[in-house]
Amino acid sequence: MPLTSNDQYVLEILQEHGLITYQQIEEAQSNIIHAGTSTVDILIDRKVLDEDEVMQILAEQFGMQKIAMKDVDVSAEVRDMVDTPTARKYRVVPLYMSDNVLTVAMDDPLKFDSLDGLRHMLDCEVEGVVTTKAELKVALDHHYTDESDMDSMLDQISDGTVDVAMAGTEDRIQDSSDDSDAPIIKLVSLVILEAYRNRASDIHLEPLEKRFRVRYRIDGVLHEVDSPPKRLQSAIVSRIKIMASMKISEKRKPQDGRIQVNILGRVLDLRVSTVPTNQGESVVMRILDKQNLALGLPKLGFFSDDQQTFERMIAQPDGILLVTGPTGSGKTTTLYACLGAINRPDRKIITVEDPVEYEMSGINQVQVRAEIGMTFALALRSILRQAPNVVMIGEIRDSETANIATEASLTGHLVFSTLHTNDAPGAITRLLDIGVKPFMVASSLRAVMAQRLVRCICENCKEEYQPERHELSGLGTAADALLDQKLIRGHGCAKCSLTGYHSRKGLFEIMVVDDDIQRMIFDKVSSSDLRNFARAAGMRTLREDGLRKIGAGITTVDEVLRVTMGDID
């Protein structure tokens, strides 16, 4: 099959650079079945050529820049300069606008006619930069939803692939007596379906001045997705409020609700929160996947030595074990994993939560309801009369709850709870500050574990590289240990949406309260002195645990720096 002129030209360039031989080209040609198939694509598919290397050479040949799409943040204003049909026809994604020059990403630097067509349509200068076909495809799918794909997904929802029921009812999302509501019902279903497919933990629907923004939090980072028209904002919010059993007419006060979703046979709970803003009501839906409870302690990210220490702590018959960290650091997931590990028929376990995020078999779970006086403290006093072996308190928020928890631990109960502190030693200072007496803290506290979540390197596109000193400068003196070894990073692929990351694991800082630390607590030693002593005794900080996970190829330097910037070397 004869080569096209463009194909021939590219192959000659690659031959000049010594990347391929004439025999390899002939062999690839013999495998072409369909007209229009590129010989270069055949060679890339067969791993004879590396696409990144090919694109870099072609970019240099034509005086263009080679970029990675994951490194570019495309604003909605620039994206909207090119409509969906045009972007898909010319296979371009607009990146940024500067001095009336629009820069677009393309996967074929020889398509000069695409740039000419865009110049004519947009009446401005257009310049191209080069990226790989895989990266451009992901970017196109992310920023430009094809209408036929949208129709297919909406039809899929109508066929029962997604079954969303209103809380406490059998009413399904696709059922509606009013045909005019059907598009809104399907659109809300589509938002939830796509969030699930993208492994999102939260869905954010935010009213802005000129648009209604939708973002998914994936692996702890927010990503903007295609947003519905601004005119549908009110209808979408109303539909979600109906599903969550909220008051539609109440738009001046925050509200909370729940939605149960069945997607492809998998049951999810959505915790819904609305807050009035100056542009309308902002909605956040947190996706609670019950299957995450089956992770178990090994899947949280512990190394074997830390896991052994932690398992020894949760196996004790009494005392308090605290998990600390900011909102979204995985504290609740860790506590549920602890309960799952010790949940046996001979133990009575009761939890006090606000709200109850996951329902666990064999465990009594109590919902806090402050509006009727059912506070943490009142619920805790009541459940202690139920003679539990283990008590889990969602969060210690005040002195009354803290004192009841410590008293319970001193009377033969094992107590799990959380605190909002930056590190493990800070939890002791926090307990003293809210009014717990030093001897009570020293006697009851068994261990404190601070944690953060870092994104894991994508297994599908991970690659080795030699780090430069400036990349590691933020790690301080610890960088020296990493300079002499090759590290791992994610290149970015379709599976990880070009981010280079897929899923998350924890960084942990475990401080075991021994006799020496008990005496320091009783003497009201400062948090910094406690920290220095614990480190000298062998406690690894969050930063140090992160360094171990960098060396093991689990995460990257950037991720560890992102979540441990407050850590002290």
Side-chain angles (χ1 to χ4, degrees), residues 281-332:
E281 289 181 281
S282 174
V283 180
V284 175
M285 293 185 279
R286 172 162 289 187
I287 302 172
L288 307 174
D289 188 351
K290 294 181 180 179
Q291 291 194 15
N292 287 339
L293 294 181
L295 287 177
L297 292 176
K299 295 293 182 66
L300 296 179
F302 288 108
F303 281 120
S304 58
D305 53 350
D306 283 342
Q307 185 174 329
Q308 289 175 3
T309 301
F310 194 66
E311 286 177 342
R312 190 172 67 252
M313 292 299 103
I314 67 176
Q316 300 204 31
D318 56 26
I320 297 178
L321 191 146
L322 293 176
V323 181
T324 76
T327 301
S329 60
K331 300 187 298 296
T332 302

Side-chain angles (χ1 to χ4, degrees), residues 87-92 105-107 111 133 136-137 140:
R88 290 188 171 275
K89 174 185 176 183
Y90 290 130
R91 291 191 59 76
V92 296
M106 54 198 305
D107 59 3
K111 285 190 174 181
K133 284 181 166 55
L136 189 73
K137 181 183 184 303
L140 282 171

Side-chain angles (χ1 to χ4, degrees), residues 405-419:
T406 53
E407 289 170 7
S409 70
L410 293 173
T411 54
H413 302 88
L414 180 60
V415 179
F416 296 103
S417 191
T418 69
L419 272 178

